[in-house]
């Protein structure tokens, strides 16, 4: 390639002003209305055979009840072989903080969610945690919220938080592992007929490979008590309404899907609140060593989106605008900048601009001079330059969503 220093391919995604996705995984039911929005387990290696076990819950501040916020959570650990109870760890509530939203003004007071952390430092002795088939930890809570659209009798459907992790030894040697760190929760709505895309790509502190898939959410073992005691792995999943399955938990054209790279997408075709679950499997040297799950609820609105923004890009010195799907080649001594221009026929709307690295890991926020614009007239043009560093950020053509 001679003096070609970096390759960049841009794909522009025109998102509408309040293309919001609700991270509310609201659990409620009968007299056990908890309004827990969802969450997941984390197991973080700290030193030797010492770990930090976290249970993260998201709580609906608007519709929830303070008495439903538990002071602690009991996490049950079983062996995968024979599902033998190994330990019960009590996790006290450590912190509670509000979730930041993409654009709070669009939520109109509906999107107020707190992130509640239950955590404890634990020890997994090698004499006790040496089964090569591994272990799982589970916590159950009843029940889900009555507003869920894709479940039969959601107020009697519970939730089971579930995570698998490996033994702490392998081949008579220590085998240390931390669970993947899942992407931050979704914090927007989706709109009927409007493409919705969410970056669920997660990271792994050990460099393990992650495989993403969608799965039907687990149900709790009973709805007769707010805190069921697990007696093994979850034995059932939620019951979907007629026409809904694990293949179209958020119906649309196309229905909800997740790519191998971890991007969630859907073009929803009906209004409602739809629950689904994302499963992230962890592989090391080709062998599965763990699994973590998070429930979501996606709220779909019948929005009044107005007119979509129009975005163009032009490489410095080029005679014509960039065409989506083509590859931009920057020469070694040439300026490595792309000029972006955005117009919007609806004045006064908030334009939020983000850069997403698709096929490589890198925070691109520093490339943007600013992220928020509010054009006052339809004729106003937002113009800014994206200038890339001298050295390429990836060894292959970089795919970047704008």
């Amino acid at each position: 390639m001679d003096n070609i220093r970096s390759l960049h391919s841009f794909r522009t995604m025109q998102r509408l002003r309040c293309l919001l996705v609700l991270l509310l995984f609201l659990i409620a039911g009968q007299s056990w209305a908890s309004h827990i929005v969802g969450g997941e387990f984390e197991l973080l290696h700290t030193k030797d055979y010492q770990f930090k076990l976290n249970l993260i819950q998201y709580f609906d501040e608007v519709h929830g009840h303070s008495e439903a916020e538990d002071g602690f959570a009991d996490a049950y650990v079983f062996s995968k072989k024979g599902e033998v109870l190994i330990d019960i760890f009590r996790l006290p509530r450590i912190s509670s903080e509000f979730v930041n939203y993409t654009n709070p003004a669009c939520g109109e007071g509906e999107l107020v969610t707190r992130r509640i952390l239950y955590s404890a430092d634990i020890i997994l002795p090698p004499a006790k945690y040496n089964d090569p088939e591994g272990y799982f930890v589970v916590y159950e809570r009843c029940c889900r919220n009555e507003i869920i659209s894709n479940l039969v009798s959601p107020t009697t459907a519970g939730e089971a938080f579930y995570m698998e992790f490996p033994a702490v030894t392998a081949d008579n040697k220590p085998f240390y592992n931390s669970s993947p760190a899942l992407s931050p929760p979704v914090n927007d709505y989706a709109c009927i007929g409007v493409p919705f895309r969410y970056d669920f790509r997660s990271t792994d502190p050990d460099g393990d490979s992650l495989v993403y898939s969608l799965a039907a959410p687990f149900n709790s073992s009973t709805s007769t008590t707010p805190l069921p005691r697990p007696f093994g792995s979850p034995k059932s999943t939620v019951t979907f309404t007629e026409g809904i399955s694990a293949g179209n938990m958020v119906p649309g054209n196309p229905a909800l899907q997740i790519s191998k790279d971890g991007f969630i997408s859907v073009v929803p075709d009906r209004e409602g609140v739809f629950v689904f679950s994302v499963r992230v499997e962890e592989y090391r040297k080709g062998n599965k060593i763990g699994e973590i799950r998070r429930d979501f609820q996606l709220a779909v609105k019948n929005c009044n989106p107005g007119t979509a923004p129009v975005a163009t890009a032009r490489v410095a010195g080029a005679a014509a605008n960039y065409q989506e799907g083509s590859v931009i080649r920057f020469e070694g001594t040439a300026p490595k900048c792309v000029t972006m221009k955005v117009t919007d026929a609806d004045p006064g709307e908030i334009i939020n601009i983000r850069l997403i690295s698709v096929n490589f890991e890198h925070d691109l926020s520093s490339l943007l001079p600013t992220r928020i614009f509010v054009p006052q007239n339809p004729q106003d043009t937002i113009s800014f330059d994206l200038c890339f560093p001298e050295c390429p950020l990836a060894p292959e053509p970089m795919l970047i969503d704008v």
Side-chain angles (χ1 to χ4, degrees):
M1 288 285 185
D2 296 324
N3 57 347
I4 295 175
R5 295 298 304 273
S6 58
L7 307 176
H8 300 271
S9 175
F10 281 80
R11 300 182 297 177
T12 57
M13 300 190 308
Q14 296 175 348
R15 305 277 306 273
L16 304 185
R17 57 168 176 160
C18 284
L19 189 61
L20 300 176
V21 176
L22 182 60
L23 145 77
L24 298 183
F25 330 149
L26 319 172
I27 306 184
Q30 301 172 337
S31 60
W32 312 124
S34 70
H35 295 275
I36 296 173
V37 175
E40 69 272 354
F41 274 111
E42 289 180 337
L43 184 64
L44 307 177
H45 176 246
T46 56
K47 179 183 178 182
D48 298 328
Y49 299 105
Q50 301 173 36
F51 294 81
K52 184 177 290 293
L53 180 60
N54 295 333
L55 173 63
I56 299 169
Q57 291 183 356
Y58 295 101
F59 187 87
D60 179 7
E61 184 72 9
V62 174
H63 306 98
H65 303 288
S66 58
E67 62 270 19
E69 183 179 337
D70 303 314
F72 62 86
D74 286 336
Y76 290 72
V77 179
F78 296 84
S79 62
K80 293 182 68 176
K81 183 179 181 180
E83 299 199 356
V84 178
L85 179 63
I86 305 297
D87 270 316
I88 302 175
F89 295 111
R90 174 153 291 189
L91 313 179
R93 185 179 59 210
I94 300 299
S95 64
S96 177
E97 59 187 11
F98 288 101
V99 173
N100 293 321
Y101 293 99
T102 302
N103 184 3
C106 292
E108 299 178 349
E110 297 180 51
L111 293 173
V112 183
T113 305
R114 281 188 293 116
R115 178 186 185 271
I116 304 172
L117 173 65
Y118 299 88
S119 179
D121 293 317
I122 64 173
I123 296 176
L124 304 181
K128 195 175 186 179
Y129 286 88
N130 57 15
D131 192 325
E133 292 191 23
Y135 302 84
F136 64 86
V137 57
V138 62
Y139 168 78
E140 296 187 7
R141 188 65 162 87
C142 182
C143 297
R144 296 179 185 267
N145 196 287
E146 62 184 4
I147 65 173
I148 297 175
S149 307
N150 59 344
L151 297 188
V152 175
S153 186
T155 57
T156 61
E159 182 164 1
F161 298 84
Y162 178 85
M163 180 182 66
E164 298 177 4
F165 61 94
V168 297
T169 61
D171 299 324
N172 296 319
K173 298 178 181 179
F175 187 88
Y176 301 136
N177 181 67
S178 292
S179 61
L182 297 187
S183 171
V186 186
N187 51 10
D188 296 306
Y189 291 111
C191 295
I192 294 176
V194 177
F196 167 74
R197 193 166 187 244
Y198 171 60
D199 183 359
F200 194 79
R201 290 178 301 173
S202 304
T203 59
D204 189 276
D206 307 303
D208 298 322
S209 299
L210 303 180
V211 176
Y212 304 89
S213 61
L214 298 177
F218 283 133
N219 202 348
S220 60
S221 54
T222 178
S223 60
T224 61
T225 175
L227 293 169
R229 174 175 176 172
F231 289 95
S233 62
K235 299 299 188 292
S236 65
T237 57
V238 295
T239 302
F240 290 113
T241 55
E242 185 177 356
I244 301 295
S245 66
N248 66 338
M249 290 180 283
V250 181
N253 184 25
L256 183 75
Q257 54 190 300
I258 189 168
S259 70
K260 64 178 182 179
D261 299 321
F263 286 93
I264 295 173
S265 61
V266 62
V267 182
D269 62 8
R270 68 192 72 174
E271 192 171 7
V273 177
F274 303 92
V275 64
F276 64 97
S277 182
V278 176
R279 175 175 55 202
V280 181
E281 297 172 286
E282 185 181 9
Y283 285 81
R284 185 176 300 179
K285 296 182 179 179
N287 298 314
K288 180 180 175 179
I289 61 172
E291 175 182 315
I292 188 170
R293 292 181 178 227
R294 178 192 282 169
D295 275 15
F296 281 74
Q297 280 185 189
L298 178 62
V300 179
K301 300 278 189 177
N302 188 11
C303 309
N304 180 20
T307 305
V310 176
T312 63
R314 181 174 296 193
V315 180
N321 289 336
Y322 166 80
Q323 297 297 313
E324 184 172 339
S326 59
V327 177
I328 299 173
R329 291 174 167 83
F330 289 123
E331 302 295 333
T333 57
K336 298 173 176 59
C337 295
V338 176
T339 298
M340 297 289 303
K341 292 187 177 181
V342 182
T343 58
D344 190 354
D346 303 314
E349 292 188 341
I350 297 173
I351 305 296
N352 180 40
I353 298 173
R354 288 191 303 140
L355 300 182
I356 300 175
S357 55
V358 177
N359 64 337
F360 64 102
E361 296 290 339
H362 196 85
D363 181 4
L364 303 177
S365 59
S366 63
L367 301 183
L368 287 173
T370 185
R371 293 182 57 186
I372 301 293
F373 302 88
V374 184
Q376 300 300 317
N377 300 292
Q379 296 78 22
D380 288 351
T381 299
I382 300 165
S383 181
F384 57 94
D385 289 333
L386 301 179
C387 294
F388 296 90
E390 187 69 17
C391 294
L393 303 175
E396 57 183 333
M398 293 183 286
L399 299 178
I400 298 176
D401 280 348
V402 180

